[in-house]
Amino acid sequence: MLLSVGISLFNAQLYLSNTIVSILNQSYQNWELILIDDGSTDGSLSIANYYASQDERIRVISDGVNRKLPYRLNQLIKESDGDFIVRMDADDIMHPERLERQLDFLKKNTQFDLVSTGLISINNNNQVKGYRKVDKLYSDFGMPKLSYPIVHPSVMARKSWYERNCYSEKFPRAEDFELWTRSIVNNDFKMAVMPELLLYYREEGNLSLDKLVNSYKDTLKIYSQYYSKNNLDAEILRLNFKILVSKLFYYTGNLQKLARRRNEKFNHIDLEHYQQILTQVVTKKI
């Protein structure tokens, strides 16, 4: 069964090779990789073209324009040939069994259209710092909420679902939250979140105050658009408090610590285990 892995690139030259290598070394090998360059000004496109020249399963698309992530995600949906579409960011790294385990879940659980996983938080030096996950399989998406336990770049979905549910380009900092919320309102969101840790997610060192604040603001706009106004005042206060805390951490030089605060800490054995897997992935030759 063919999987379409889609990645939108924008100035990702520092990490793109590791990302691609982690896909090349998946235990499940029947995939295509679509790399869409979003107007990069660094060496991202050259790196993408190099790997495409080495493996016929890799395809590069570039128009030289910066159209932002939601546009590129919809483009990836249209360009994909697989029965399932796999999300991935250009600076993250797949656990070697990610594709196999998620595909196995969706094949065995046909009542679900999408599945996501937990994450292993890493920094810019490929050091494991912590993790976030649900305690058990989670599928309680009966009504809109202000947040969902979904790691967007860990999502695998049936292409048929994405063909019914495209991304909105109105909220470039919260396009995933808008899509989940709209799909729930339309009663077309059969999502499961697995507790397995299958994505190495690069966040510590990459946080930006502007991105955080704009994400919070977009989230509130989306929530107020789709949800009852009865609870809105409390949520406005909650999000404004998050913005205030983010600014406080930023102006005291501690913004990156926010990444640590939302993660759980590994015990020593698990930390070594997941670090060893990551090191093997990024140093493995193709």
Side-chain angles (χ1 to χ4, degrees):
M1 189 168 290
L2 181 65
L3 304 180
S4 295
V5 182
I7 300 178
S8 174
L9 319 173
F10 179 71
N11 291 350
Q13 69 174 13
L14 293 179
Y15 312 111
L16 183 57
S17 289
N18 285 343
T19 301
I20 295 173
V21 166
S22 76
I23 298 167
L24 291 168
N25 288 297
Q26 286 292 293
S27 58
Y28 187 86
Q29 285 287 303
N30 189 17
W31 49 259
E32 64 170 354
L33 173 58
I34 305 171
L35 302 170
I36 299 186
D37 184 69
D38 192 33
S40 294
T41 57
D42 64 356
S44 297
L45 183 57
S46 295
I47 294 171
N49 283 328
Y50 166 75
Y51 282 99
S53 72
Q54 302 299 305
D55 195 310
E56 61 183 8
R57 295 172 296 177
I58 301 176
R59 179 159 38 114
V60 178
I61 299 172
S62 176
D63 57 17
V65 181
N66 181 234
R67 298 182 183 273
K68 306 302 181 185
L69 182 59
Y71 179 94
R72 297 305 185 186
L73 292 177
N74 288 330
Q75 187 178 5
L76 286 164
I77 294 167
K78 294 175 183 177
E79 292 285 346
S80 64
D81 292 324
D83 298 298
F84 296 86
I85 295 176
V86 182
R87 272 283 291 119
M88 184 74 171
D89 284 339
D91 60 350
D92 297 330
I93 296 171
M94 285 189 185
H95 184 285
E97 297 178 358
R98 176 192 169 184
L99 296 183
E100 180 182 2
R101 292 195 197 179
Q102 286 187 282
L103 177 60
D104 184 62
F105 177 88
L106 287 176
K107 288 170 67 176
K108 290 179 178 177
N109 298 276
T110 56
Q111 71 271 31
F112 294 112
D113 290 320
L114 310 93
V115 63
S116 71
T117 74
L119 66 84
I120 303 158
S121 179
I122 62 175
N123 65 12
N124 289 340
N125 296 315
N126 291 330
Q127 294 175 314
V128 172
K129 306 301 290 186
Y131 69 95
R132 293 201 299 276
K133 72 179 186 69
V134 294
D135 294 328
K136 59 183 179 179
L137 189 73
Y138 182 94
S139 60
D140 182 17
F141 296 102
M143 61 181 293
K145 299 177 182 178
L146 195 59
S147 63
Y148 308 109
I150 304 169
V151 182
H152 189 202
S154 80
V155 168
M156 177 186 289
R158 303 182 194 277
K159 183 176 180 178
S160 57
W161 183 86
Y162 266 127
E163 289 174 332
R164 300 192 305 270
N165 299 280
C166 292
Y167 289 90
S168 169
E169 296 178 33
K170 295 180 181 179
F171 303 100
R173 291 306 312 162
E175 76 288 334
D176 53 336
F177 179 79
E178 194 279 336
L179 178 56
W180 313 150
T181 303
R182 172 164 37 94
S183 301
I184 290 171
V185 170
N186 292 335
N187 196 30
D188 192 15
F189 195 62
K190 306 302 186 293
M191 158 73 87
V193 182
M194 301 166 62
E196 284 86 342
L197 300 172
L198 298 178
L199 180 75
Y200 288 90
Y201 185 70
R202 198 179 303 279
E203 56 182 346
E204 187 174 327
N206 284 344
L207 288 184
S208 157
L209 180 62
D210 287 342
K211 289 181 180 179
L212 280 174
V213 171
N214 289 334
S215 176
Y216 290 143
K217 289 181 177 178
D218 276 358
T219 297
L220 184 58
K221 291 177 184 176
I222 295 163
Y223 185 80
S224 62
Q225 176 179 333
Y226 287 108
Y227 194 49
S228 167
K229 303 297 188 292
N230 296 337
N231 223 16
L232 197 55
D233 288 343
E235 301 305 346
I236 290 174
L237 287 174
R238 179 181 170 187
L239 280 177
N240 282 333
F241 178 73
K242 285 187 174 182
I243 292 172
L244 180 63
V245 170
S246 298
K247 290 181 177 179
L248 178 63
F249 272 71
Y250 173 78
Y251 289 118
T252 57
N254 294 304
L255 183 63
Q256 303 309 319
K257 290 183 179 180
L258 285 178
R260 301 177 211 165
R261 287 169 60 91
R262 56 189 177 185
N263 293 326
E264 300 290 332
K265 290 185 178 181
F266 283 114
N267 61 47
H268 180 69
I269 294 176
D270 288 340
L271 179 65
E272 285 194 345
H273 170 72
Y274 284 106
Q275 184 66 64
Q276 183 179 28
I277 292 174
L278 175 60
T279 301
Q280 289 175 344
V281 168
V282 299
T283 57
K284 195 171 184 179
K285 295 180 180 180
I286 61 171

